[in-house]
Amino acid sequence: LGAVLEELDFQNEAKNQIRGRTELMEAKLDMVVPEVFPALCGRRVLVMEFVDGHQVGAGDAFLAPEERLQVMTSLVKAYAHGLFVSGHFNGDPHAGNLLVTRRDGKAQCVLLDWGLTKQLSE
């Protein structure tokens, strides 16, 4: 029950998302994690940047084959970084938590829902 309550605590999710965003940006990985606005968050509300995008399955129609490969490669690199470098990763990877967006004409993967994360020990 403790893990479920922790996943439903949006202050915890905000903290995890801020950390994940920071780690992926510092690693210069080509992923989008929406910016969180902590001053507006609480246990029952999470306020973050709006990112316009398509769910992965729906977004595929808008992607050229080489873009699909690039988006998937970025996602795999982001998870590899979390698992093998920082030890902190999003523990809920499914199509509902992923979007594909375009920024400056480039297709990018958006990683959502940081309520369930894991921290691996050394």
Side-chain angles (χ1 to χ4, degrees):
L1 184 61
V4 172
L5 294 176
E6 187 175 339
E7 187 174 353
L8 296 174
D9 179 348
F10 289 130
Q11 285 179 315
N12 180 61
E13 183 166 345
K15 174 187 62 114
N16 291 334
Q17 187 165 326
I18 290 166
R19 179 178 174 188
R21 175 182 163 87
T22 301
E23 289 174 351
L24 293 173
M25 287 175 68
E26 287 176 353
K28 297 186 182 356
L29 294 171
D30 191 23
M31 290 290 295
V32 176
V33 177
E35 180 181 0
V36 172
F37 302 104
L40 302 174
C41 297
R43 288 189 68 237
R44 298 178 145 234
V45 66
L46 176 62
V47 180
M48 70 179 96
E49 163 192 19
F50 174 77
V51 178
D52 190 23
H54 302 276
Q55 288 186 314
V56 173
D60 286 351
F62 301 99
L63 298 175
E66 61 275 2
E67 289 178 312
R68 280 188 224 128
L69 179 61
Q70 184 271 322
V71 166
M72 184 53 65
T73 299
S74 295
L75 179 61
V76 170
K77 286 181 179 180
Y79 268 92
H81 179 80
L83 288 167
F84 302 116
V85 179
S86 72
H88 176 254
F89 63 95
N90 182 314
D92 199 10
H94 60 79
N97 288 340
L98 301 171
L99 296 175
V100 177
T101 191
R102 283 199 183 274
R103 291 194 171 175
D104 299 321
K106 182 179 181 185
Q108 291 181 290
C109 188
V110 183
L111 189 51
L112 304 170
D113 190 355
W114 290 78
L116 178 62
T117 63
K118 295 296 177 191
Q119 175 62 54
L120 300 175
S121 61
E122 292 184 30

